[in-house]
């Protein structure tokens, strides 16, 4: 069934993926397992095909939309914690970056871990992050980037926060496929996580 879900995402088959994901959960497969063993590997296949020139952007987008459909089915299972807010997180994908699936998953896992999450969406500029930091006084500011050409906006955001005198009042965490612990250290972020579950763990350890 995991194989079929993976194939449905690769094929851009929304009806199929919703049906199969519902069937999988009702048969007792875990949401995390479906994510790790079907949905994420499907996006890897899509990315590899795009990199080889075997797939075009609209097809990549279709698979991404289908993956978001499956994630919506899994959301209630991933975000099942009804705990008191552990802290506040402002999250967004940095400027000029339109990738939101990973960021949405991180937001979901943070909610599941009991954080109040203010999601600024995609293509978020340093000024918008700063405005949200002033408005919401979050404990954590979380940034996602999927492109080597956009991760470079992360230090701009940190500079803007520092320039406004807010750097000591919040922790900055970063992630996304091209981002590493070394990059986090280099730009002075407080933490890096490789995946959504580790991001929630990291956030808990920081507040
Ligand atoms: Co884009 N894209 N894309 N794309 N795309 C990649 C990232 C790419 C690797 C594909 C490839 O060439 N193999 C490549 C980047 C190359 C690079 O920079 N090194 C690429 C490119 C080049 C582009 C365009 C430039 C293509 C073009 O126009 N010529 C363009 C850029 C648009 C822009 O942003 N300005 C583009 C466009 C798109 C679509 C719009 C078509 C679509 C996005 C749709 C959407 O998000 N709604 C898309 C997609 C789908 C992908 C791939 C195939 C899948 C991304 C994804 O959703 N993965 C991707 C290849 C790949 O990743 N295999 C690719 C699943 C998701 C759950 O994983 O986002 O990595 P991920 O998130 C993970 C972790 O990274 C981590 O946790 C998540 C869950 O475990 N994480 C964090 C993420 N954020 C975190 C934050 C944290 C902590 C952890 O703390 C705050």
């Amino acid at each position: 069934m995991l194989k079929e879900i993976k194939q449905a995402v690769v094929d851009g088959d929304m009806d199929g993926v919703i049906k199969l994901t519902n069937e999988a959960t009702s048969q007792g497969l875990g949401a995390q397992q479906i994510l790790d063993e079907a949905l994420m590997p499907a996006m890897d296949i899509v990315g590899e095909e795009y990199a080889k020139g075997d797939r075009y952007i609209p097809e990549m987008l279709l698979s991404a939309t289908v993956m978001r459909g499956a994630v919506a089915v899994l959301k209630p299972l991933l975000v099942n914690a009804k705990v008191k807010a552990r802290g506040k997180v402002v999250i967004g994908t940095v400027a000029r970056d339109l990738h939101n699936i990973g960021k949405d998953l991180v937001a979901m896992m943070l909610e599941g871990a009991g954080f109040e999450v203010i999601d600024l969406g995609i293509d978020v500029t340093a000024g918008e992050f700063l405005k949200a930091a002033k408005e919401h006084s979050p404990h954590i500011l979380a940034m996602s980037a999927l492109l080597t050409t956009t991760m470079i906006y992360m230090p701009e955001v940190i500079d803007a926060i520092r320039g406004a005198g807010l750097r000591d009042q919040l922790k900055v965490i970063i992630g996304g496929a091209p981002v590493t612990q070394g990059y986090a250290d280099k730009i002075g972020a407080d933490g890096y996580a490789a995946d959504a579950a580790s991001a929630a763990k990291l956030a808990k350890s920081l507040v």
Side-chain angles (χ1 to χ4, degrees):
M1 184 159 281
L2 289 168
K3 250 190 195 160
E4 286 176 61
I5 294 175
K6 184 163 87 175
Q7 195 56 48
V9 175
V10 171
D11 294 343
D13 174 7
M14 181 67 95
D15 292 345
V17 94
I18 301 283
K19 186 172 164 276
L20 287 162
T21 307
N22 276 314
E23 272 172 31
T25 56
S26 59
Q27 283 180 23
L29 280 178
Q32 194 64 50
Q33 188 184 5
I34 297 171
L35 261 180
D36 292 343
E37 294 176 28
L39 303 179
M40 305 272 293
M43 295 314 278
D44 285 341
I45 294 173
V46 169
E48 281 157 23
E49 288 182 359
Y50 169 76
K52 280 193 287 181
D54 292 342
R55 184 176 274 259
Y56 297 104
I57 291 174
E59 295 163 309
M60 188 154 70
L61 189 54
L62 181 61
S63 288
T65 307
V66 169
M67 165 146 183
R68 284 168 67 77
V71 169
V73 173
L74 298 179
K75 185 170 180 180
L77 301 172
L78 291 167
V79 186
N80 57 5
K82 287 270 176 288
V83 287
K84 195 167 158 276
R86 212 183 259 275
K88 218 186 267 186
V89 182
V90 160
I91 190 168
T93 300
V94 297
R96 300 192 188 168
D97 196 322
L98 308 178
H99 295 85
N100 60 359
I101 299 177
K103 183 265 298 163
D104 288 355
L105 278 173
V106 172
M108 238 180 250
M109 294 306 278
L110 287 167
E111 273 181 34
F115 287 91
E116 180 189 347
V117 178
I118 296 125
D119 188 346
L120 304 180
I122 52 174
D123 191 14
V124 183
T125 62
E128 287 164 340
F129 272 114
L130 177 59
K131 184 166 171 270
K134 284 181 178 163
E135 196 177 320
H136 301 287
S137 306
H139 301 85
I140 294 177
L141 188 145
M143 288 184 269
S144 176
L146 259 284
L147 301 171
T148 44
T149 49
T150 58
M151 59 192 267
I152 54 168
Y153 293 112
M154 290 175 162
E156 267 188 31
V157 177
I158 296 178
D159 282 350
I161 298 289
R162 187 176 294 113
L166 299 177
R167 185 64 187 92
D168 295 338
Q169 292 170 35
L170 51 78
K171 302 285 185 193
V172 175
I173 67 171
I174 63 172
V179 178
T180 60
Q181 180 65 55
Y183 188 65
D185 296 340
K186 186 175 157 203
I187 67 170
D190 299 298
Y192 155 80
D195 56 52
S198 324
K201 228 180 182 176
L202 171 67
K204 282 197 260 178
S205 75
L206 287 173
V207 295

